[in-house]
């Protein structure tokens, strides 16, 4: 059996598996977000839009537009079709295609989450690797202590503290928003303005994430260094550097890739909490606001996107790992 | 081998605690946890107030210990007066009037005579006020007027406050009452925030009456004036006064001051411990039980059961937890138990996978094979051979799952998706954020709840790490 | 979601976008009352301001979207925005600020105890009346709202002026009377056990008042608590049930609630009464059904005479106040803060918030024209489409762009002030044997859309039929449902025929008028998702660069927006109600009064705008008019500092000529223009030489005389 065909077969099996997972998650979401509130608890999302002048026929019309009068199964089929036809359905609230609303918020979220994810990974990696190379030192102990301590902080609390100190008390940074209103016209000043607004939310996410990531990297390396093959390699007289790069890296990479794959969807779907604390006009806050307005299609679409992205990015991660490590395919 | 599983669990727990003693981090975690547990259990004794009780002092009051700083030393304190018959200095004008104490009430009786007469009772109470001007004060005058066979007679009750420099303000005027009226249950009141009162006294509706009236230090006098007009005849008029209350709301209160509604923040903080602990522990137990059951069944049964269960587990793993919980909480409603259930139901998947993998390896091990060979039932094998092997993993997961649940609960409460009827730390922070604590820089409101969450979560994390070290010998040996 | 509704307080415009918003206002923190008063000093200019129906005075209107109220208040205090809604609990923070003043005004929000009249024991009228006696409205207003509120007894509150019946049965606070009411209705009270029994002999079970939990709305909880305590004093088993707000609203809509305290936001004209009290009224949550009320309501709604309608409504109120489907408690009040350099806020009289004309009158003190007004929105307008917009914040922006046929009269909010319609007539006509209402609107003639297209009756006609066809939920009202036909009589007159007769039709028709050339452009709409799904502010205008499809006739033009951050509008220089003084001014610096034909006329003039700034980018054309005919036109060139010069060749011209100087400056998509005339006397060329000729003649004469004299002398 050639390696390529075994790889292909493995990936195909995975693909089928993942599509099934996607389908089941759609069913679950549908049950939780549509069937449960309306059919079990009797909360009618259309009440939000009813005004006293409406005639009975019009009420029916609105409910029809929301698809609430159809049998459950056909509602489900419509729901799935909507998600896959490229427009992700229509918002109850604005009646606009969800995709165009999403695209309006995406740049902000990518700006915030993209930069912060990259920073988190870089800082985490650097600190983690330094800590593991100096394991047992004071630096290592500090990293462990700080990381554990920070991991006990709720993310929103980090944001609140930064906001209280740097926003309200020192007044160094703005309290809300992504740009000044209105922003400066000069492109350089504009960029500076954006960065100025970005500073606090970015710091919040990086502080919340980097410690944990560093700890993860450190422990990962540490476990690997304790494995038999490292002992063997050391026994063979390989230098520490060679051990690190030839053997350890190879085994450390898969979990790191996995973690990265899990982080990536967040760049699109945003961070509800941080975006809410800093009034950041992004996808995460949109999800929250939409939920508050009983705008089911938006909520479902955002959840759907996140599931799809997770599945896709993990699938890619699987592929990469399988290429790196042929043993995986046989599992 | 004859011990019951329960006993074995007890022994292992005892051993664990014994071993924990030797771990510095574990010990710290345990001590913090113990502290929180005591606070949670004795919350009603530790907290001076019901956390939901409003108007304990003025809203946004400073903590009491701020008085050590000169800037805050003179801030107004709560002055709650309850003035009864013996506290008043009473002077009577008019010969047909008599004042007496009956069952704790001050009773004024005006007898009709052969001519119409007009008399009054002046009651005065002085107290010292030596702080900065307060913003708020209020008072109640419970009274009852009964007119017996004297139609046409009337009573009028007024209340004044007289400042040290002699300025006098009329706070209350009942206007003539010529009929029987009881205001004992719903007393006559005056409130410094009342716009009509402000206008009547010649101030702007946005002024604080307290600041305008109590702007001197010295002796203030509350004056209650009961005027009685009696017609000719044989009847009489009875005015019954219960204890009059007078309250100045302070700007210094409790250990952490008050919030926008005048609730005690410290009591809120203390009671919040309960919610966090309950949510953390309950959610963790449910979630671990779920993970255990699913993992056990999947791992032990294998085959199609395993595949279906793992497929389901994987699906849930792919679902974004926080957004999902947010959406469900908004759509379904907010309740503590729903929250716990949601947190638990969406966090067991990882454990289930681990346990399944472990159980699978155990299932194929020699001694399980041997037990099966002598005809042991599945139940027996699971409880006798597999569960005990899993116990370290379960212990660690139980502890390690708690901080996550606590943080998630705090996050939900902060987004105002928590149960609004229970005081929780997340909710305190939500209130701080949306009731103006930030623009007032009330750090004593913002910082404590967050730190409380952090240290509670930290305690469990430390404990978890210690347990991990004890129970996962691999790590210990290789370090 | 809740904060959005605050905007509702701002413009009590005639619109039925009340919808749920109305109930949602609930969580408005303590709102308050009274005549306009203030914390800081109200600038004299604001106090003495006499509104003008012209404007806008400001050049730009900037809406910052600040969803976080703390940040909004900070921005307001820092002077980054000019106005902000002030929550009563936060009044203190702005109170001492000398740069801020506060206007306080009564709103159309009624707080009431709504009752499910179909649920036992609330279905006994006596129970409802007894509970009404247990509500100490004065005390609630004083203690819970510190006096900021107006206790009210009438189901249609006194804010509505002539619509409100002052003589409805009232229920003064008195537990005694409550007890008496119950006893009279056949209820019995067992003193020994402290239990009440209904007229059928059943023990009265515990019944409930539902309110959001104390955490969400402490004042509502407190009020309910006060009522319940009063009930306990006579032994009534009434209790408070704290219920999640969303759940409560959902129960109200499904009519499964018990009784609740919430707010009801009325529109300026109480047509809502028709739906509130009618047996199958869409907002009859209480489930009252009374043939008499139904009959009166029909008469109230289906008459063309407003006076008559008011009388029927009075009768309805009397009966409703007896049946008590809801118990009115008090009318709310709002505080809005302004920076002290802002004046020109137009408040409705006698009550009812800011008038639409505020948009035109508001200006900075010491700067009657120009500048930027900075306002804040509490939520990002998710859609700027007049047919789907829902929240007050969305309408706050749309109101600046689209206009309607008439607006509330600020001097008497219950009456109407003509706007896009100069006047209108209402007649009863008969079509095919059935009675119809014919409403004829006579429209203003000088209005244009932002893109320069004239506004005509066809636009109005289009809007009406558009609504009839598409039935947008927020605008589709009875008048549209029953509209039979329209007649566009000429460009500025339109008649609408509506089946049945009702005075309320007029108000139904007062919608935001949209331009036919945009909304009737089906390919354009189709391309962007159809009328419901498109957001015209996000689609560029098909022909005019720089404009979006969000064009109206209004005072402001939608200019720029960053989603989630701000919306910038600029003033409409072509506005049909433009302030007469807001334009260019032109002064001649040097003009020759008299020239000789052939000599060029030098014209030097300076152009300044309404703020006294020199205008350098104007185009100045000078037309030379002789005997009413334009002989030639010359354009002047800019010499700097707003000074323009031109020289006009006069060869071939004589006599008095008129110079017409026409200045125009491009401002946004529009133009400011001014023209001025002056006359110049052009003398024929020979007159230039006349003196020389004269002199020559004189010289010649003198010379000839001299010659003659010399000759004479020599001869002699």
């Amino acid at each position: 059996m050639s390696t390529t065909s075994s790889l292909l077969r493995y990936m195909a099996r995975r693909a089928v598996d993942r599509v099934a997972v996607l389908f089941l998650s759609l069913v679950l979401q549908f049950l939780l977000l549509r069937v449960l509130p309306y059919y079990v608890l009797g909360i009618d999302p259309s009440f939000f839009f009813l005004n006293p002048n409406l005639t009975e026929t019009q009420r029916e019309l609105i409910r029809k537009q929301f698809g609430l009068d159809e049998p459950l199964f056909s509602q489900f089929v419509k729901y799935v079709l909507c998600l896959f036809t490229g427009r992700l359905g229509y918002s109850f609230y604005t009646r606009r295609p969800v995709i165009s609303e999403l695209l309006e918020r995406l740049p902000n979220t990518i700006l915030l989450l993209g930069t912060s994810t990259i920073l988190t990974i870089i800082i985490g990696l650097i600190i983690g690797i330094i800590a593991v190379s100096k394991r047992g030192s004071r630096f290592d102990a500090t990293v462990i202590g700080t990381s554990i301590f920070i991991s006990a902080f709720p993310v929103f609390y980090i944001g609140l503290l930064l906001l209280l100190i740097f926003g309200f008390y020192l007044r160094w940074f703005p309290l809300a928003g992504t740009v000044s209103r209105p922003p400066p016209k000069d492109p350089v000043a504009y960029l500076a303005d954006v960065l100025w607004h970005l500073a606090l939310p970015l710091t919040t996410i990086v502080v919340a994430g980097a410690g944990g990531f560093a700890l993860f990297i450190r422990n990962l390396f540490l476990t690997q260094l304790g494995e038999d093959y490292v002992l063997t390699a050391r026994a063979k007289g390989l230098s520490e550097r060679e051990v690190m790069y030839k053997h350890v890296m190879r085994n450390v990479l898969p979990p790191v890739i996995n973690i990265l794959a899990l982080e990536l969807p967040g760049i699109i779907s945003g961070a509800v909490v941080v975006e809410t604390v800093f009034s950041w006009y992004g996808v995460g806050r949109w999800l929250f606001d939409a939920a508050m307005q009983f705008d089911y299609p938006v909520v479902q679409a955002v959840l759907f996107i996140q599931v799809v992205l997770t599945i896709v990015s993990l699938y890619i991660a699987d592929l990469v790992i399988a290429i790196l490590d042929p043993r995986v395919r046989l599992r | 081998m004859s011990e019951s599983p329960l006993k074995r669990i007890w022994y292992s727990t005892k051993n664990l605690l014994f071993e924990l003693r030797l771990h510095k981090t574990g010990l710290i975690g345990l001590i913090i946890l113990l502290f929180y547990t005591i606070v949670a259990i004795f919350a009603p004794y530790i907290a001076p107030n019901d956390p939901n009780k409003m108007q304990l002092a003025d809203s946004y009051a400073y903590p009491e210990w701020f008085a050590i700083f000169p800037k805050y030393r003179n801030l107004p304190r709560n002055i709650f007066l309850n003035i009864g018959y013996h506290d008043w200095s009473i002077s009577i004008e008019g010969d047909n009037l008599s004042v007496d104490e009956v069952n704790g009430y001050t009773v004024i009786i005006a007898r009709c005579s052969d001519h119409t007469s007009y008399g009054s009772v002046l009651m005065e109470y002085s107290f010292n006020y030596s702080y900065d001007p307060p913003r708020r004060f209020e008072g109640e005058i419970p009274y009852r007027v009964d007119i017996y066979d004297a139609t046409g007679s009337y009573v009028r009750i007024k209340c004044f406050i007289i400042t040290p420099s002699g300025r006098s303000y009329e706070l209350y005027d009942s206007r003539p009452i010529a009929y029987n009226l009881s205001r004992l249950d719903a007393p006559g009141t005056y409130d410094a925030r009342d716009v009509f009162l402000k206008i009547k006294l010649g101030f702007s509706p946005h002024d604080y009456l307290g600041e305008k009236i109590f702007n001197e230090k010295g002796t203030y006098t509350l004056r209650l004036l009961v005027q009685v007009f009696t017609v000719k005849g044989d009847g009489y008029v009875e005015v019954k006064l219960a204890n009059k209350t007078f309250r100045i709301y302070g700007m210094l209160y409790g250990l952490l001051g008050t919030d926008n509604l005048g609730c005690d923040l410290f009591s809120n903080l203390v009671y919040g411990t309960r919610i966090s602990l309950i949510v953390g522990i309950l959610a963790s137990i449910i979630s671990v039980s779920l993970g255990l059951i699913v993992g056990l069944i999947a791992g032990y049964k294998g085959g199609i059961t395993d595949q279906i269960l793992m497929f389901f587990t994987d699906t849930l793993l792919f679902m974004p937890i926080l957004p999902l919980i947010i959406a469900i909480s908004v759509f379904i409603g907010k309740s503590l138990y729903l929250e716990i259930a949601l947190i638990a139901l969406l966090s067991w998947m990882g454990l289930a996978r681990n346990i399944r993998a472990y159980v699978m390896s155990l299932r194929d091990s020699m001694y399980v094979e041997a037990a099966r060979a002598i005809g042991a039932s599945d139940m027996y094998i699971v409880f006798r051979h597999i569960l005990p092997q899993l116990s370290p993993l379960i212990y660690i997961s139980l502890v390690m799952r708690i901080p996550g649940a606590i943080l998630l609960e705090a996050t939900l409460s902060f987004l105002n998706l928590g149960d609004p009827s229970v005081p929780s730390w997340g909710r305190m922070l939500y209130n701080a954020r949306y009731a103006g604590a930030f623009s007032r820089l009330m750090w004593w409101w913002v910082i404590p709840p967050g730190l409380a969450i952090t240290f509670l979560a930290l305690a469990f994390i430390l404990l978890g790490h210690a347990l991990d070290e004890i129970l996962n010998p691999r790590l210990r040996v290789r370090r | 979601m809740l904060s959005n509704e605050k905007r509702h307080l701002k413009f009590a415009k005639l619109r039925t976008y009340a919808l749920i918003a109305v109930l949602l206002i609930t969580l408005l923190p303590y709102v308050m009352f009274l005549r306009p008063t203030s914390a800081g000093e109200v600038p004299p200019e604001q106090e003495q301001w006499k509104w003008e129906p012209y404007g806008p005075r400001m050049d730009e209107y900037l809406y910052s979207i600040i969803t976080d109220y703390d940040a909004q208040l900070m921005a307001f205090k820092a002077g980054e925005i000019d106005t902000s809604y002030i929550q009563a609990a936060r009044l203190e923070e702005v109170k001492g600020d000398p740069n801020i003043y506060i206007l306080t005004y009564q709103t159309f929000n009624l707080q009431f105890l709504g009752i499910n009249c179909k649920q036992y024991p609330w279905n006994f009228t006596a129970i409802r009346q007894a509970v009404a006696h247990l509500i100490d409205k004065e005390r609630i207003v004083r203690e819970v709202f510190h006096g900021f509120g107006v206790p009210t007894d009438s189901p249609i509150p006194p804010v509505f002026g002539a619509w409100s019946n002052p003589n409805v049965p009232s229920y003064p606070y008195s537990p005694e009377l409550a007890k008496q009411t119950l006893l009279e209705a056949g209820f019995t009270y067992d003193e020994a056990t402290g239990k009440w029994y209904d007229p059928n002999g059943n023990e009265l079970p515990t019944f409930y008042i539902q309110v959001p939990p104390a955490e969400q709305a402490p004042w509502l909880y407190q009020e309910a608590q006060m009522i319940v305590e009063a009930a306990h004093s006579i032994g009534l088993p009434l209790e408070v049930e704290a219920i999640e707000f969303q759940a409560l609203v959902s129960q109200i809509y499904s009519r499964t609630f018990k009784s609740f305290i919430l707010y009801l936001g009325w529109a300026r004209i109480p047509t809502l009464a028709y739906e509130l009290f009618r047996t199958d009224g869409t907002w009859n949550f209480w489930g009252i059904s009374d043939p008499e009320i139904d009959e009166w309501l029909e008469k109230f709604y289906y008459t063309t005479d407003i006076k008559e309608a008011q009388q029927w409504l009075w009768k309805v109120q009397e009966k409703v106040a007896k049946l008590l489907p809801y118990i009115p408690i008090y009318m709310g009040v709002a505080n809005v803060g302004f920076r002290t350099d802002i004046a020109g806020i137009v408040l409705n009289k006698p009550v009812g918030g800011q008038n639409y004309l505020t948009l035109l009158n508001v200006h900075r003190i010491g700067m009657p024209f120009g500048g930027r007004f900075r306002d804040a929105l509490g939520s990002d307008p998710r859609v700027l489409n007049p047919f789907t917009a829902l929240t007050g914040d969305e309408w706050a922006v749309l109101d600046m762009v689209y206009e309607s046929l008439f607006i509330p009269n600020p001097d008497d909010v219950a009456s109407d002030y003509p706007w896009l319609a100069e006047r209108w007539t209402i007649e009863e006509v008969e079509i095919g044997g059935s009675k119809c209402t014919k409403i004829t609107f006579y429209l203003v003639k000088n209005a244009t859309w932002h893109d320069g297209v004239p506004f005509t009756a066809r636009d109005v006609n289009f809007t009406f039929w558009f609504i009839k066809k598409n039935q947008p939920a927020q605008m589709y009202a009875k008048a549209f449902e029953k509209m039979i036909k329209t007649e566009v009589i000429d460009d500025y007159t339109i008649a609408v025929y509506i089946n049945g007769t009702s005075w309320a039709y007029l108000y139904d028709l007062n919608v935001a008028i949209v331009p036919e050339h945009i909304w009737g452009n089906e390919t354009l709409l189709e391309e962007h998702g159809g009328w419901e799904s498109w957001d015209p502010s996000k689609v560029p205008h098909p022909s005019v660069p720089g404009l979006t499809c969000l064009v109206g006739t209004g005072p402001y033009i939608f200019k720029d927006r960053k989603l989630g951050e701000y919306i910038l509008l600029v003033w409409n220089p072509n506005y049909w109600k433009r302030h007469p003084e807001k334009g260019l001014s032109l002064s001649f610096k040097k003009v020759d009064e008299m020239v000789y034909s052939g000599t060029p006329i030098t014209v030097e003039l300076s152009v300044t705008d309404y703020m006294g700034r020199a205008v350098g980018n104007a185009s100045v054309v000078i037309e030379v008019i002789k005997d009413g005919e334009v002989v030639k036109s010359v354009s002047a060139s800019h010499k700097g500092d707003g000074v323009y010069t031109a020289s006009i060749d006069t060869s071939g011209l004589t006599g008095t000529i008129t110079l017409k100087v026409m200045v125009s400056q491009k401002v946004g998509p529009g133009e400011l223009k001014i023209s001025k005339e002056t006359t110049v006397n052009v003398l024929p060329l020979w007159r230039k030489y006349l003196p020389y000729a004269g002199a020559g003649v004189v010289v010649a004469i003198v010379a000839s005389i001299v010659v003659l004299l010399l000759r004479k002398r020599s001869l002699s």
Side-chain angles (χ1 to χ4, degrees), chain C residues 83-204:
Chain C
T83 176
S84 169
Y85 169 82
I86 312 285
Q87 298 179 355
R90 310 294 288 274
L91 270 173
E92 170 202 345
E93 287 170 51
V94 291
K95 181 179 78 99
D97 195 326
N99 300 317
I100 287 171
Y101 68 96
I102 296 167
L103 295 180
T104 305
Y105 44 72
Q106 192 171 338
T107 65
F108 285 98
N109 296 327
L110 169 72
Q111 197 204 45
F112 65 103
L113 173 71
I115 298 168
N116 189 346
C117 303
K118 290 197 164 152
Q119 210 169 57
Y120 180 81
W122 284 113
N123 57 352
F124 288 103
T125 310
I127 285 274
R128 303 198 291 268
Q129 290 172 341
V131 171
H133 277 301
L134 296 172
I135 303 177
D136 192 345
K137 296 169 188 170
E138 298 271 335
R139 182 167 168 227
I140 286 175
V141 168
R142 272 167 190 270
E143 289 188 14
V144 184
F145 300 96
H146 323 319
F148 285 114
V150 182
T152 177
D153 285 325
S154 173
I156 312 288
V159 191
F160 292 103
W163 294 99
S164 170
N165 183 347
N167 303 318
V168 296
S170 68
Y171 300 87
Y173 171 73
S174 162
E176 297 288 321
L177 280 177
K179 200 167 174 176
Q180 215 174 308
T181 310
L182 286 177
L183 293 175
E184 275 167 15
F187 284 79
T188 46
Y189 183 57
D190 185 346
E191 296 278 350
T193 54
K195 285 193 170 109
W196 279 94
Y197 295 89
D198 72 16
N200 308 326
N202 305 318
E203 186 192 324
L204 213 55

Side-chain angles (χ1 to χ4, degrees), chain C residues 264-332:
Chain C
L264 185 64
W266 289 83
R268 182 174 61 109
I269 307 294
T271 46
L272 186 59
Y274 184 65
E275 299 297 348
L276 277 175
F277 307 126
R278 202 159 40 95
T279 301
D280 25 85
T282 45
W283 269 41
N284 183 355
F285 304 118
W286 352 102
I288 61 160
S289 166
D290 185 280
E292 230 175 355
I293 291 182
D294 285 356
E295 193 195 322
W296 292 335
L297 278 173
E298 293 297 326
K299 285 179 174 161
F300 151 75
Y301 197 86
Y302 293 112
T303 168
T304 44
D305 182 13
I306 291 201
K307 286 270 176 301
E308 195 190 326
Q310 287 170 348
Q311 274 164 15
W312 290 117
L313 193 59
W314 277 39
K315 281 182 98 81
V316 170
Q317 289 173 65
E318 275 172 33
K319 188 85 187 261
V320 165
K322 258 181 224 138
L323 293 178
L324 281 180
Y326 66 66
I327 305 170
I329 301 177
Y330 81 97
M331 291 299 287

Side-chain angles (χ1 to χ4, degrees), chain A residues 42-44 47-56 58-59 61-62 65 90-91 93-97 101 104-105 108 168 171 175-183 190 277 279 281 285-286 290 292-295 298, chain C residues 1 4 16 18-20 24 62 64-68 70-71 74 246 249-250 253 272 275 282-283 372 380 382-383 388 390-391 394 471-478 481 508 532-535 538 562-566:
Chain A
I43 296 172
D44 182 347
F47 77 72
F48 207 77
F49 304 89
L50 298 182
N51 98 29
N53 284 327
L54 291 186
T55 55
E56 208 43 56
Q58 248 190 313
R59 283 160 188 269
L61 200 75
I62 289 183
Q65 280 172 343
Y90 289 84
S91 155
Y93 189 89
T94 62
R95 314 286 165 92
R96 296 179 61 216
E101 300 228 305
E104 288 165 2
R105 287 159 174 91
N108 279 339
F168 282 92
R171 308 222 174 169
L175 308 176
T178 54
V179 285
S180 297
R181 299 148 177 143
Y190 184 86
V277 169
S279 310
Y281 189 75
R285 211 181 92 204
W286 182 45
M292 287 301 203
Q293 287 166 332
F294 286 73
D295 200 345
V298 171
Chain C
M1 164 174 72
N4 302 351
T16 42
L19 40 127
I20 176 112
L24 291 187
L62 177 76
S64 294
I65 297 151
I66 312 181
T67 48
D68 178 10
D70 250 4
M74 295 281 277
Q246 303 282 13
V249 173
S250 164
Y253 276 87
L272 186 59
E275 299 297 348
T282 45
W283 269 41
R372 170 189 282 168
D380 184 47
R382 277 184 69 182
V383 57
T388 55
L390 211 58
T391 66
E394 284 157 359
Q471 308 194 353
Q474 313 315 327
M475 282 193 188
Y476 188 69
K478 280 196 192 56
E481 193 190 337
D508 283 353
E532 243 184 331
S533 299
W534 81 321
D535 185 335
K538 288 174 182 159
K562 176 143 174 64
L563 289 167
E565 304 299 338
Y566 67 89

Side-chain angles (χ1 to χ4, degrees), chain C residues 612-647:
Chain C
R613 293 174 303 201
V615 174
N617 61 346
S619 79
V620 180
V621 176
I622 303 173
E623 282 183 346
V624 181
I625 301 168
K626 169 99 170 103
D627 302 330
E629 269 178 52
V630 179
V631 182
K632 59 168 93 175
S633 74
V634 178
S635 60
S637 58
H638 185 226
K639 288 278 172 287
D641 269 352
V643 176
Y644 294 78
T645 57
S647 92

Side-chain angles (χ1 to χ4, degrees), chain A residues 144-166:
Chain A
I144 297 174
T146 326
S147 307
I148 290 180
F149 188 59
I150 287 176
S151 69
F153 270 86
V155 178
F156 70 89
Y157 185 56
I158 300 177
L160 288 183
L161 285 183
L162 291 176
L163 197 63
L164 180 67
I165 298 167
F166 297 104

Side-chain angles (χ1 to χ4, degrees), chain B residues 206-226:
Chain B
H206 300 286
D207 278 333
Y208 287 109
L209 265 194
E211 284 176 0
K212 297 286 173 189
I213 293 178
F214 286 90
N215 54 5
E216 301 167 38
K217 287 175 187 168
T219 308
Y220 283 80
T221 305
L222 265 176
R223 179 180 290 166
L224 201 61
L225 180 68
V226 183

